[in-house]
Every structure is written in C-alpha cells, then in structure tokens.
Amino acid sequence: MSNDTHPFIRRAALGACAAALAALVVPSTTAHAATARPAVTLAKPGSGATVLTLTVPATRAGAAPQTINCTVTPSTPFRYYGGPYGGGEEGLASVSCTAPVYKIQLGVALYYNGSQVTYNSTTVYNALSSSADTEYPLNHGTYQTGAQATITTAYGGTPVTSPVYGSSTVTLP
C-alpha cells in the first residue's frame, strides 16, 4: 500500500467512527422531529421563579433534611469597551445558594434581536455561588441575557436544572 493511501484510510476510518457515534447520540430524524425544541421562551426574573428550592437528604439517622435555595440571576446586557472585539455587548449571569452544593453548572447566552448569538458556561465544585459572562460585537439592536443553572447538591445526587431565565431587554445604538 502506498503512503498516499494511509491518510485517506485514516480519514475514512475516522469518518466511520464519527458516524457510528452520531448514530448513538443523535436521535433519528423522525424522533428528532417529534422532540425538536421550539424557540426558547425566556422566563422573566422577578416572577418568583428564579429561586430553585432543593432538598438534601439527611446524612445521619434522625437528622432533618436540609433545604437549599439557589437564585439564578441574569443581568441586563451592557456595553463594554476594549476586550476581544474592541468593545461590544456583554451578558452576565450568576447563581447564589444558601448553603454549599457539590456542583454548580451555569450557562449564559446573549440574545440579539430575539436570536441567541453567543453562549458561555462555567462549572464550579463545592461552592455557594458562580458566575459566567459572554460577549458579542456591538450592533444596533435589542439585547437580552439568558441564564440557566444545573445544581447538584451532593456527590452522586440527582442534578436539578432551572428554566432559562431572561433579563430585561436593552436597545443599543
């Protein structure tokens, strides 16, 4: 076999592996059509829905379970100067819990004229709080920040995911 065919064979094998993995991970077209997610509707903060109430089972006999409240807060987008785009639009999000939890995963997205244009996430362990930010080059239009948190209270516990909460909108020149 000549040296010219080795890269082709490796690419073909890699493609076959990727296709097999995709078949396991990606639902079929029929299943996907039935479960396709509609456009994200952002839950507005201030509706009382931004607080996740979690219960941690007692670890000792006779002890009461612990209740932990975690508040997810997307900030109103704001204009920044400098940085990777020489200035642009930034969205921040934070989550704060009343007691330490095993893991906080926080995602933040920036919406431009109603469509998501950028996303970032962070994961912290054994923490009370976390924050994440995302940036986008400034264009004239309306911006909104969306945030979603997944909280795992204890190692091996079941994670709880919040709805996607939205900030107030802002229109920038």
Side-chain angles (χ1 to χ4, degrees):
M1 195 177 292
S2 74
N3 288 338
D4 293 342
T5 59
H6 288 294
F8 173 77
I9 292 171
R10 276 182 260 164
R11 283 193 300 264
L14 183 58
C17 289
L21 181 59
L24 293 174
V25 176
V26 177
S28 70
T29 308
T30 309
H32 185 16
T35 61
R37 293 200 287 178
V40 172
T41 302
L42 302 176
K44 298 288 184 188
S47 66
T50 60
V51 176
L52 296 176
T53 300
L54 311 165
T55 303
V56 180
T59 56
R60 294 184 314 249
Q66 179 183 13
T67 299
I68 299 174
N69 293 318
C70 295
T71 305
V72 182
T73 308
S75 71
T76 301
F78 59 92
R79 189 172 182 174
Y80 73 92
Y81 299 91
Y85 302 112
E89 190 63 26
E90 185 169 2
L92 297 172
S94 64
V95 60
S96 178
C97 298
T98 56
V101 294
Y102 169 69
K103 180 166 67 171
I104 300 172
Q105 295 171 287
L106 178 63
V108 60
L110 197 59
Y111 294 82
Y112 170 66
N113 291 336
S115 296
Q116 181 181 327
V117 292
T118 185
Y119 174 84
N120 191 24
S121 65
T122 185
T123 301
V124 296
Y125 293 87
N126 194 29
L128 285 167
S129 63
S130 181
S131 63
D133 73 318
T134 189
E135 300 169 341
Y136 188 72
L138 182 63
N139 291 310
H140 174 70
T142 303
Y143 292 87
Q144 186 176 24
T145 303
Q148 183 175 42
T150 299
I151 311 293
T152 307
T153 56
Y155 179 73
T158 303
V160 175
T161 301
S162 75
V164 178
Y165 296 114
S167 70
S168 300
T169 58
V170 62
T171 301
L172 295 173

